[in-house]
Amino acid sequence: MIKDTTNTDTLDNQRDLIDVARSLFNVRPRTIKAEKDKSVYFSFLPVSSAVPGGGKALFTSTTAGFYLGDRNTTYISSVTFAPYFNFKGRYGLPVRSNIWLKNNSWNILGDTRILIYPQYTWGLGGRRDNNDKILLDYNYIRLYQSALKRIQPYFFAGIGYNLDYYINVKTDNPGEVEKFTGYTFGTGKNSFSSGASINLLYDTRNNSINPLPGVYGNIIYRFNPRILGSIDHWQSLYIDVRKYISLNPASNKKNVLAFWSYYWTSLTNGTPYLNLPSIGWDPYQRSGRGIEQNRYRGEKLFYFESEYRSDITRNGLFGYVLFASVNSVSEPNNNRFAFWHPAAGAGLRIKFNKKSGTNIGIDYGFSKGYSAIMVNLGEAF
């Protein structure tokens, strides 16, 4: 049994942009009952901002939050579609889904992306200067699907399928990728990986869109044999742990301290270059705010971030966050974590939909030699 934290009394004291629009345009719901029984909540964000990989872009993010069972016993599901394009040849059509079946009997996860993705790369390790980079151009198709069955309350286990297809990988000079990176696997024209995964999940949060106090842990072991079509045989391990602590649980005002850490490593030789652990390429592409995506890459990556979240207004319409992070990737010569890269920033939160807990997040992050403003629906983690 999970506790429903979105009770009517609490929501009646909250305010979101939908309430503001109703007040401004004098729009009223037909009946109170119709609003309370509503089970699908949409949030939209048409905006021009930074996108993964850097640079300005035009994109529209749509998130649907919904319940497939009694909300007292079923977590909220979500589907996010966020197409974008910029003026430097980058296009993206990503769709992410996190589906919880009735009574949390199953958790179905999906991640589909079709990308045209020119992006700078700095090779392996954390030693290179910001200007020591080359532009890598490629098209990318991703298809990740997994199904996890509940074994015990909050604990789930299952399997998945993962496909990565990097097409027409190129630079201005043929052979430059291998020469610049000193890495031979996956630096040719095409790179195809097809494999299965074993997934373990522990999740006490009832809302992944806007996590409330609780714990999240996820382990993904992936293996890509040639029998499934992979060009190279390789294996990887991803371990993700998050903790959310309410500093004043008796109050309706948000006052939360959140921690996030993950360890991502290649377990074998042969991992394609673009599949190696890299900052900003975690499964949700939310790590490293204030660090350019792809800036640090290695056979191992360690990441830690903390964030303080609080309301500005008592009705929850406006809030703010303060965050800081540090990461390190292994060096190619000795496989050690020799360089640590910090980042920090702050952000504004505007409640778009109080029913699903969806916030518009406007974050400013910075690190050595780089800074960016990021706009997203939902929290970073």
Side-chain angles (χ1 to χ4, degrees), residues 6 21-22 75 86 97 139 172 185 207 213-214 255 258 269 280 293 336:
T6 58
R22 286 172 177 164
Y75 291 163
N86 69 3
S97 58
N139 302 335
D172 290 337
F185 299 102
N207 188 337
N255 194 16
N269 293 326
Q293 187 194 48
R336 295 179 181 176

Side-chain angles (χ1 to χ4, degrees), residues 12-182:
D12 286 344
N13 296 324
Q14 297 292 297
R15 192 168 178 82
D16 57 21
L17 288 184
I18 296 174
D19 294 326
V20 173
R22 286 172 177 164
S23 299
L24 290 175
F25 300 103
N26 196 28
V27 176
R28 298 180 179 179
R30 288 174 292 180
T31 65
I32 295 177
K33 182 177 185 301
E35 179 66 18
K36 288 182 180 179
D37 289 344
K38 185 178 179 182
S39 58
V40 181
Y41 311 106
F42 289 97
S43 302
F44 305 94
L45 183 61
V47 73
S48 173
S49 181
V51 295
K56 296 295 182 180
L58 302 174
F59 73 95
T60 301
S61 181
T62 303
T63 296
F66 51 92
Y67 291 93
L68 295 178
D70 187 331
R71 64 188 63 195
N72 287 310
T73 59
T74 307
Y75 291 163
I76 190 170
S77 299
S78 64
V79 176
T80 300
F81 177 51
Y84 61 84
F85 70 93
N86 69 3
F87 303 102
K88 296 182 180 180
R90 181 178 296 153
Y91 304 86
L93 293 172
V95 180
R96 293 195 59 90
S97 58
N98 185 6
I99 308 299
W100 294 94
L101 299 188
K102 185 178 180 180
N103 297 325
N104 291 343
S105 57
W106 286 86
N107 181 213
I108 313 298
L109 299 167
D111 183 357
T112 302
R113 307 180 197 178
I114 301 175
L115 308 178
I116 299 175
Y117 219 74
Q119 184 180 57
Y120 285 107
T121 186
W122 286 260
L124 299 178
R127 183 189 296 271
R128 291 184 186 269
D129 183 81
N130 279 345
N131 295 320
D132 190 8
K133 59 187 178 182
I134 61 172
L135 183 62
L136 197 62
D137 196 358
Y138 59 90
N139 302 335
Y140 176 42
I141 298 174
R142 169 184 285 194
L143 178 62
Y144 291 3
Q145 296 290 328
S146 59
L148 289 77
K149 180 175 175 54
R150 186 180 65 184
I151 307 301
Q152 295 287 338
Y154 310 120
F155 178 68
F156 304 81
I159 59 174
Y161 174 74
N162 302 270
L163 181 150
D164 294 286
Y165 190 17
Y166 298 93
I167 307 167
N168 198 23
V169 181
K170 61 183 179 181
T171 62
D172 290 337
N173 302 312
E176 186 178 11
V177 180
E178 182 175 346
K179 181 179 179 181
F180 179 79
T181 63

